[in-house]
C-alpha cells in the first residue's frame, strides 16, 4: 500500500499521478477535512471532493475544483431566492453534497460516506478523511477572524495571515482505516499541498505523527513551493506571515523530523545542501505538473525516490 497525504488542488494532481502509475487498490489518500463547512444545510468537504473528482476523471480541468461539464441552474435559482452565491456549487457537484449530508444525517461517518462515493464512482483507490470528528480552520487576519472558506473563497485569500486555529482538533482521533493504511504502508508521500492549512491539520490529528513514525516506511514530501512561490493560492504568503521562510528550505524545516526526503524543483537546486544539512535526502527534478504526463512522471520519480530513502 502507498499512502498519500493531500489537501485540494495541488495534492490531487500528484495523487492522480500516483493513481495512474500504481496497480489498482494499492493507493490510499488521506485527505484534509479542516476546510469542511456547512452551507445551505449541506456538509461540504472541498478537499475530499477535489481529490475524488480528480481521481475519478470528473474534475473540471480549468479550475482544478468542481466537476467537468457543469451546469449552474440550481445556483441561479438559489440566487433568485436571495442566497449569496460566492461559493460556487454546480448542479452535478450539488448532488455530492446532498447525498453526503443525507447519509451523515442518517448516522454514517464521513469515512463511510466517502467509501460509498468512491464505490459508486468505481474508484480503485481508498480515500480517507483525516478523521471523522469535525475540525474547522479559522484564519486570523488584520481584517478579523474568518472561517476558512470565507477567507479563501469569499475574500480570495487577500488578507495577511497572522494565525490559524484548528477548532476541534483536540477531539480528532485516527480512524481505524487510517491507522490500518499507515501500518500497511510501503511508502508515505506528502503531496504538494499547503503545509499550513492542508497538510498541517492532517499531521495535527492526535496519533498521526506517532503512526507515521511507527511505519517502517519511508516518508517523502513534494515541495509545494517552487522558486519561492506557491504555484497557486496563498501558501507562500501564509508561510511568510506565520514566520516561516517561503521556500523549499522553509518547507523542509517544517517537515524535518517527520520525513526522510524532499522532492524539490530545479529552480530550487541551490537549496539542496541546506536541506541535506537538516538530515534529509533531496531529489531535484521538474516538480511543476502542467499536464497529466507530468503528474505520472513526478509520481514515478517520487516513488523511486521513496524506495531509495528506504535503504
Ligand atoms: P487547495 O486545498 O486547493 O488550496 O490545495 P492544496 O493545499 O492541495 O494545494 C495548494 C498548493 O499546491 C499550493 O501551495 C501550490 O503551490 C501547490 N501546487 C499546485 N500545483 C503544483 C504543482 O504542479 N507542483 C507543485 N510542486 N506544487 C503545486
Ligand atoms: Ca483546501
Amino acid at each position: 500500500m502507498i499512502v498519500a497525504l493531500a489537501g485540494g488542488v495541488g495534492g490531487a494532481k500528484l495523487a492522480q499521478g500516483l493513481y495512474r502509475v500504481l496497480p489498482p487498490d494499492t493507493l490510499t489518500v488521506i485527505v484534509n477535512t479542516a476546510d469542511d463547512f456547512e452551507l445551505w444545510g449541506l456538509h461540504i468537504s472541498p478537499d475530499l471532493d477535489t481529490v475524488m473528482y480528480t481521481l475519478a476523471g470528473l474534475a473540471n480541468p480549468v479550475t482544478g475544483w468542481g466537476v467537468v461539464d457543469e451546469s449552474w441552474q440550481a445556483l441561479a435559482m438559489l440566487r433568485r431566492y436571495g442566497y449569496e452565491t460566492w461559493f460556487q456549487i454546480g448542479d452535478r457537484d450539488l448532488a455530492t453534497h446532498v447525498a453526503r449530508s443525507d447519509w451523515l444525517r442518517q448516522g454514517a461517518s464521513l469515512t463511510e460516506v466517502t467509501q460509498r462515493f468512491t464505490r459508486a464512482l468505481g474508484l480503485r483507490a481508498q480515500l480517507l478523511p483525516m478523521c471523522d470528528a469535525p475540525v474547522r480552520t479559522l484564519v486570523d487576519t488584520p481584517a478579523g477572524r474568518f472561517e476558512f472558506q470565507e477567507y479563501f473563497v469569499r475574500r480570495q485569500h487577500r488578507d495577511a495571515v497572522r494565525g490559524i486555529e484548528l477548532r476541534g482538533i483536540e477531539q480528532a482521533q485516527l480512524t481505524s482505516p487510517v491507522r490500518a493504511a499507515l501500518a500497511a504502508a510501503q511508502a508515505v508521500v506528502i503531496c504538494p499541498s499547503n503545509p499550513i492549512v492542508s497538510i498541517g491539520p492532517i499531521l495535527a490529528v492526535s496519533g498521526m505523527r506517532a503512526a507515521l513514525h511507527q511505519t517502517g516506511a519511508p516518508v517523502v514530501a513534494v515541495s509545494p513551493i517552487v522558486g519561492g512561490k506557491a504555484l497557486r493560492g496563498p501558501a507562500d504568503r501564509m508561510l511568510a506571515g506565520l514566520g516561516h521562510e517561503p521556500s523549499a528550505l522553509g518547507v523542509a524545516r517544517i517537515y524535518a523530523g517527520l520525513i526522510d526526503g524532499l522532492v524539490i524543483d530545479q529552480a530550487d537546486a541551490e537549496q539542496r545542501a541546506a536541506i541535506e544539512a537538516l538530515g534529509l535526502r533531496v531529489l531535484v527534478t521538474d516538480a511543476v505538473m502542467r499536464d497529466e504526463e507530468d503528474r505520472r512522471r513526478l509520481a514515478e520519480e517520487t516513488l523511486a525516490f521513496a524506495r531509495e530513502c528506504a535503504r
Side-chain angles (χ1 to χ4, degrees):
M1 183 65 67
I2 302 295
V3 176
L5 311 188
V9 176
K13 287 159 86 176
L14 186 64
Q16 192 201 23
L18 291 166
Y19 184 49
R20 291 274 177 271
V21 304
L22 288 166
D25 307 312
T26 59
L27 174 67
T28 293
V29 191
I30 300 175
V31 184
N32 173 44
T33 57
D35 59 6
D36 285 21
F37 70 120
E38 298 271 328
L39 186 67
W40 313 325
L42 302 175
H43 180 113
I44 319 253
S45 298
D47 286 353
L48 273 172
D49 290 341
T50 295
V51 174
M52 179 171 85
Y53 294 149
T54 303
L55 296 200
L58 288 170
N60 178 331
V62 178
T63 53
W65 53 265
V67 182
V68 70
D69 297 330
E70 264 297 9
S71 55
W72 302 91
Q73 303 289 343
L75 199 71
M77 204 65 183
L78 282 163
R79 202 173 293 128
R80 286 181 69 179
Y81 293 144
Y83 279 98
E84 287 186 67
T85 53
W86 51 267
F87 195 88
Q88 303 229 317
I89 296 179
D91 299 331
R92 303 181 80 189
D93 191 20
L94 183 64
T96 305
H97 312 314
V98 169
R100 173 185 292 121
S101 309
D102 188 36
W103 294 338
L104 287 172
R105 228 173 277 122
Q106 291 170 27
S109 68
L110 189 59
T111 298
E112 289 160 352
V113 166
T114 307
Q115 191 182 26
R116 282 167 85 167
F117 281 138
T118 50
R119 278 221 191 102
L121 295 176
L123 266 194
R124 303 288 299 271
Q126 181 174 227
L127 296 195
L128 296 175
M130 67 187 202
C131 61
D132 282 326
V135 179
R136 298 293 174 264
T137 303
L138 299 171
V139 184
D140 285 316
T141 79
R145 163 171 270 215
F146 299 109
E147 300 216 353
F148 186 75
Q149 298 303 334
E150 215 180 342
Y151 153 80
F152 195 83
V153 180
R154 185 179 208 170
R155 298 178 63 83
Q156 300 180 340
H157 48 76
R158 72 173 101 100
D159 303 284
V161 175
R162 292 184 171 162
I164 296 286
E165 187 197 331
L166 299 175
R167 180 168 293 169
I169 196 72
E170 301 77 17
Q171 280 76 50
Q173 303 286 338
L174 284 199
T175 63
S176 19
V178 165
R179 199 180 290 283
L182 288 172
Q186 286 155 311
V188 179
V189 176
I190 302 183
C191 291
S193 289
N194 186 314
I196 306 290
V197 291
S198 293
I199 303 299
I202 302 176
L203 298 178
V205 174
S206 107
M208 188 72 74
R209 280 176 177 272
L212 284 169
H213 283 300
Q214 278 157 22
T215 82
V219 182
V220 297
V222 177
S223 174
I225 301 292
V226 171
K229 294 260 171 257
L231 292 165
R232 53 181 286 162
D236 44 5
R237 285 174 289 129
M238 199 180 273
L239 285 168
L242 296 173
H244 303 283
E245 190 177 296
S247 66
L249 176 59
V251 172
R253 288 195 183 117
I254 291 176
Y255 292 149
L258 186 77
I259 62 173
D260 303 296
L262 184 68
V263 179
I264 66 173
D265 191 77
Q266 275 136 10
D268 301 311
E270 82 283 356
Q271 294 176 29
R272 173 194 273 267
I275 297 171
E276 284 173 345
L278 297 171
L280 302 181
R281 290 188 184 226
V282 176
L283 173 69
V284 179
T285 185
D286 177 2
V288 179
M289 295 171 278
R290 295 163 206 83
D291 52 27
E292 296 216 358
E293 181 44 38
D294 279 340
R295 297 178 188 193
R296 279 194 295 268
R297 175 195 44 79
L298 188 58
E300 299 260 22
E301 290 176 354
T302 302
L303 289 170
F305 177 55
R307 282 192 294 272
E308 268 174 48
C309 289
R311 292 203 206 112

